Amino acid sequence: MVTKLWNDLFTLQGETVKLLPISMDHLNGLWEAARPDEIWTYMATKVRSKDEMEQMIKAARIAREKGTEYTFTVIDNENRIIGSTRFLDILPRHKSAEIGSTWYHPDVWRTRVNTECKFLLLRHAFDVWNLTRVQLKTDSRNIKSQKAIARIGGVKEGVLRKDRVISDGYVRDTVFFSILSNEWINVNAHLKMMLQK
């Protein structure tokens, strides 16, 4: 029997964003948000059609039922779908998970959206699930993502060389970051301060 960290669906609510469990009801809004090509430059998986978005949602729901992933649709204060993020590689036995597969419409890049989403996810991971470790990783070419992860308190652990073949065939090096439970008190305070600016 697979141990899951949740029994019921849950939503994470912030001041400017709401993270809802991904649903087929979100298909049209997610596809509209996902259209700009620049979103997918460094993503391991690219969603380039409405059919691919539908398949992504179906796969995410199956993984949620298995307890290995929990994918959210990100909605702003105007009730507009602006992207998606998720917990993945959830390992209850090891008290660890990853935050990733995050993408947003370019309209919300360099706003408080990503910071608040990461805050909500980290708070849930450490304060509700009582995890010991949360990891984040990114393509070594994606310098903006690396800076964003470090900015929220992620500690760079190293690079896995030629770690994975992404959907366009490129074999990427993957940069690993983590935040540990004993670091959460300081990261929590830091993120709250960032969100007050």
Side-chain angles (χ1 to χ4, degrees):
M1 180 178 168
V2 176
T3 303
K4 284 171 54 173
L5 290 173
W6 60 90
N7 294 318
D8 300 309
L9 296 182
F10 61 91
T11 296
L12 302 178
Q13 178 70 55
E15 290 183 17
T16 58
V17 293
K18 180 164 49 175
L19 278 57
L20 297 177
I22 200 164
S23 158
M24 205 54 76
D25 293 341
H26 304 151
L27 173 60
N28 290 333
L30 283 166
W31 171 234
E32 284 305 313
R35 284 180 180 267
D37 288 335
E38 59 265 38
I39 293 171
W40 306 103
T41 304
Y42 299 115
M43 294 293 288
T45 303
K46 298 178 186 349
V47 179
R48 301 314 309 133
S49 72
K50 192 171 181 181
D51 285 343
E52 288 178 359
M53 182 63 73
E54 183 173 353
Q55 291 309 309
M56 187 276 288
I57 294 170
K58 286 179 180 175
R61 291 174 65 198
I62 290 168
R64 184 176 67 210
E65 286 303 312
K66 289 181 179 175
T68 58
E69 296 185 10
Y70 199 105
T71 304
F72 297 94
T73 299
V74 182
I75 297 179
D76 68 11
N77 275 343
E78 297 173 2
N79 216 30
R80 182 176 61 121
I81 291 175
I82 55 175
S84 179
T85 190
R86 70 180 72 188
F87 289 113
L88 60 154
D89 198 19
I90 299 168
L91 301 170
R93 181 171 171 234
H94 298 293
K95 301 188 72 145
S96 71
E98 180 178 329
I99 292 173
S101 294
T102 300
W103 61 268
Y104 307 109
H105 189 280
D107 282 356
V108 300
W109 291 1
R110 291 173 292 280
T111 68
R112 67 180 279 145
V113 164
N114 186 54
T115 303
E116 188 166 32
C117 285
K118 292 297 188 291
F119 170 71
L120 294 170
L121 292 163
L122 287 165
R123 184 176 66 184
H124 191 82
F126 290 119
D127 294 348
V128 178
W129 285 349
N130 297 309
L131 298 186
T132 301
R133 168 189 169 86
V134 173
Q135 75 178 19
L136 304 98
K137 61 191 185 193
T138 189
D139 191 310
S140 64
R141 300 169 296 169
N142 194 344
I143 304 302
K144 285 182 183 177
S145 178
Q146 292 177 57
K147 287 180 178 176
I149 295 169
R151 186 172 152 267
I152 65 164
V155 175
K156 184 176 178 180
E157 295 183 323
V159 179
L160 259 60
R161 299 177 301 160
K162 304 297 183 198
D163 174 49
R164 63 184 55 217
V165 179
I166 61 176
S167 58
D168 62 6
Y170 179 80
V171 184
R172 84 173 197 186
D173 295 343
T174 302
V175 186
F176 278 72
F177 293 80
S178 69
I179 298 170
L180 305 181
S181 55
N182 60 298
E183 298 164 343
W184 171 235
I185 188 168
N186 290 330
V187 172
N188 183 20
H190 172 65
L191 289 172
K192 285 178 177 175
M193 193 168 60
M194 287 175 67
L195 291 168
Q196 287 172 358
K197 292 180 180 178

